[in-house]
């Protein structure tokens, strides 16, 4: 956005805040965005890096994602980092000029789930860019201090924005208790499959095999450190032979499978490929209903684990990035600026998929 001349200024000479509003199917408009007042425990953050997530693309293409339906214009985006520009009167942990990564969900803190520490399941969650809550693809946002995490000097703002997708991998690996004894299968080499792979490795998994239908994604996964990659099909008839391929590639049994796709086919492969007494963690939410071979899975005492978003993950994500245990930089394949044309092009690029892994805005 230009800061030259009077463009983007209001009558008092204050800069006008602008945001990318989703106003209809495949229709985004950069328009003024009036922020709520700064509360005593809030900070105002100038956005610098915002990534596009699969759920953003769903909203863009269909005006909905699962049961979340866009009913009125909404600011999009939730993978974000920026620089603190103003702080509320009670803010203690942050100062103006701090570089921060933002956790995008504000829970109620009052319900039983919040009190039990499982705040990611809060029914009253206000989550950036999930209807009806406005998101983060804007010049400025207001956010609670306790959800803004200071970045170390050697972690960039883009990497800070990547803490959000990385958090899904961290939460999945924590829930499934990945350890240096866990041989891991990952189904799906999209952004979430790849961050889950990187996280499983950081948690000590000695062997990680990843499968996908797209050979370009698989070569990307191999370059990122997958031990073996296997190309699979979308045909449910192929489950048996794919399971044999996976077990051969693993050299032994699969202790834990992460389904980062979430279709009947991918989940059937996960259930059949995992050893008796093992675990299957469903990460991807591709279909709301599936037809699955649950009875044989139950007879083999498979544990099926669900995850939703994440909780208490930002400090560990930032430490992984700071220490170099995880490098998310190769995942950022495309960069765009915050202009009307570039916002449209960025979402089209992300929606097309192909060789685009993570599309990032530099504001």
């Amino acid at each position: 956005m230009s800061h030259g001349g009077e463009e983007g200024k209001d009558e008092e000479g204050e800069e006008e805040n602008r945001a990318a509003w989703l106003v209809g199917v495949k229709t985004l408009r950069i328009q003024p965005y009036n922020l709520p007042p700064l509360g005593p425990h809030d900070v105002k953050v100038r956005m610098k890096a915002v990534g596009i997530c699969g759920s953003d693309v769903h909203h863009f293409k269909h005006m909905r994602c699962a049961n979340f339906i866009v009913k009125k214009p909404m600011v999009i985006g939730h993978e974000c980092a920026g620089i603190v520009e103003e702080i509320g009167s009670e803010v203690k942990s942050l100062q103006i000029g701090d570089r921060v990564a933002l956790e995008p969900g504000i829970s109620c803190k009052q319900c039983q789930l919040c009190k039990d520490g499982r705040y990611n399941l809060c029914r009253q969650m206000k989550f950036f860019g999930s209807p009806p809550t406005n998101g983060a693809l804007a010049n400025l946002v207001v956010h609670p201090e306790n959800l803004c995490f200071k970045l170390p000097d050697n972690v960039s703002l883009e990497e800070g924005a990547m803490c959000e997708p990385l958090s899904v991998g961290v939460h999945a690996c924590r829930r499934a208790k990945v350890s240096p004894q866990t041989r891991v299968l990952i189904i799906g080499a999209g952004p979430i499959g790849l961050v889950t792979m990187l996280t499983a490795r950081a948690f000590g998994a000695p062997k990680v095999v990843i499968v996908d239908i797209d050979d370009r994604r698989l070569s990307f996964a191999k370059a990122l450190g997958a031990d073996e990659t296997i190309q699979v099909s979308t045909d449910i008839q192929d489950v048996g032979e794919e399971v044999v391929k996976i077990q051969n590639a693993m050299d032994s049994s699969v202790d834990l499978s992460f389904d980062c796709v979430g279709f009947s086919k991918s989940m059937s492969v996960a259930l059949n490929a995992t050893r008796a007494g093992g675990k299957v963690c469903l990460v991807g939410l591709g279909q709301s209903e599936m037809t699955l071979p649950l009875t044989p899975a139950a007879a083999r005492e498979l544990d099926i684990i669900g995850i939703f978003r994440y909780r208490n993950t930002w400090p560990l994500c930032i430490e992984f990035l700071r220490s170099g245990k995880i490098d998310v930089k190769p995942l950022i394949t495309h960069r765009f600026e915050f202009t009307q044309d570039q916002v449209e092009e960025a979402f089209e690029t992300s929606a097309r998929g192909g060789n685009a892994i993570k599309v990032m805005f530099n504001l």
Side-chain angles (χ1 to χ4, degrees):
M1 176 179 162
S2 163
H3 293 281
E6 295 308 303
E7 186 186 336
K9 304 276 174 147
D10 65 18
E11 281 138 38
E12 287 89 48
E14 287 278 308
E15 184 192 345
E16 181 183 51
N17 188 35
R18 296 173 79 76
W21 293 83
L22 180 63
V23 296
V25 172
K26 292 194 174 179
T27 312
L28 289 159
R29 297 259 183 280
I30 294 185
Q31 292 174 337
Y33 176 29
N34 296 322
L35 290 173
L38 195 70
H41 296 282
D42 293 337
V43 292
K44 188 179 283 184
V45 182
R46 180 167 292 281
M47 288 287 104
K48 290 293 181 185
V50 180
I52 298 180
C53 168
S55 61
D56 296 327
V57 173
H58 261 282
H59 286 128
F60 173 69
K61 282 162 64 170
H62 310 294
M63 294 293 279
R64 69 178 296 158
C65 184
N67 298 326
F68 298 97
I69 301 163
V70 183
K71 294 176 176 158
K72 63 181 189 357
M74 175 186 82
V75 178
I76 204 158
H78 60 268
E79 302 179 356
C80 57
I83 298 172
V84 175
E85 191 152 289
E86 196 181 331
I87 61 173
S89 56
E90 300 290 316
V91 169
K92 302 278 191 287
S93 64
L94 295 170
Q95 299 169 303
I96 291 167
D98 281 348
R99 298 154 64 255
V100 291
L102 284 68
E103 180 173 348
I106 305 172
S107 61
C108 79
K109 300 190 177 68
Q110 309 297 319
C111 68
Q112 198 57 51
L113 285 161
C114 282
K115 288 176 178 174
D116 288 343
R118 304 187 74 171
Y119 67 85
N120 57 313
L121 305 177
C122 174
R123 304 291 298 168
Q124 307 302 317
M125 178 72 78
K126 293 182 172 66
F127 192 90
F128 273 160
S130 185
T133 309
N134 284 321
L137 187 47
N139 300 124
L140 296 161
V141 302
V142 167
H143 208 51
E145 165 193 25
N146 68 330
L147 295 172
C148 297
F149 296 85
K150 196 171 166 180
L151 294 172
D153 292 342
N154 69 336
V155 176
S156 71
L157 287 155
E158 283 192 339
E159 292 171 277
M162 289 295 290
C163 284
E164 199 279 341
L166 183 57
S167 283
V168 176
V170 166
H171 184 52
C173 287
R174 273 183 181 164
R175 285 260 298 148
K177 298 188 166 50
V178 175
S179 79
Q181 274 113 33
T182 316
R183 292 175 301 256
V184 172
L185 168 68
I186 292 175
I187 301 175
I192 295 299
L194 294 171
V195 293
T196 304
M197 179 186 86
L198 292 172
T199 309
R201 199 57 109 197
F203 274 60
K207 181 109 190 201
V208 182
V209 172
I210 191 162
V211 306
D212 198 281
I213 57 173
D214 186 327
D215 56 349
R216 283 177 302 184
R217 291 264 160 123
L218 289 172
S219 52
F220 197 89
K222 187 79 174 153
L224 274 181
D227 291 306
E228 302 280 348
T229 60
I230 299 167
Q231 191 165 6
V232 292
S233 76
T234 54
D235 189 345
I236 198 85
Q237 305 303 319
D238 297 340
V239 168
E241 61 193 72
E242 288 171 8
V243 166
V244 172
K245 275 190 207 165
I246 288 162
Q247 287 168 338
N248 290 340
M250 195 58 85
D251 299 331
S252 61
S253 51
V254 176
D255 298 314
L256 165 64
S257 294
F258 289 104
D259 180 359
C260 298
V261 183
F263 285 97
S264 295
K265 163 80 198 284
S266 55
M267 201 58 184
S268 294
V269 169
L271 291 169
N272 282 292
T274 306
R275 67 167 172 83
K279 295 176 194 167
V280 174
C281 182
L282 178 56
V283 183
L285 303 174
Q287 283 175 304
S288 57
E289 289 188 10
M290 302 183 195
T291 306
L292 295 174
L294 279 184
T295 310
R300 291 165 52 237
E301 292 198 358
L302 287 189
D303 291 348
I304 299 173
I305 300 164
I307 72 150
F308 184 62
R309 292 175 182 155
Y310 35 68
R311 55 177 176 265
N312 302 314
T313 49
W314 259 253
L316 182 56
C317 289
I318 290 169
E319 176 53 28
F320 277 148
L321 297 174
R322 184 202 65 76
S323 65
K325 268 198 159 180
I326 290 180
D327 182 9
V328 291
K329 294 190 287 291
L331 296 174
I332 305 167
T333 52
H334 293 71
R335 290 175 174 83
F336 291 89
E337 289 171 23
F338 188 51
T339 65
Q340 182 65 43
D341 293 349
Q342 293 258 302
V343 165
E344 289 171 9
E345 195 185 332
F347 271 86
E348 291 294 349
T349 300
S350 196
R352 270 197 305 274
N355 63 346
I357 303 288
K358 182 56 63 181
V359 176
M360 184 72 68
F361 289 104
N362 294 131
L363 281 78

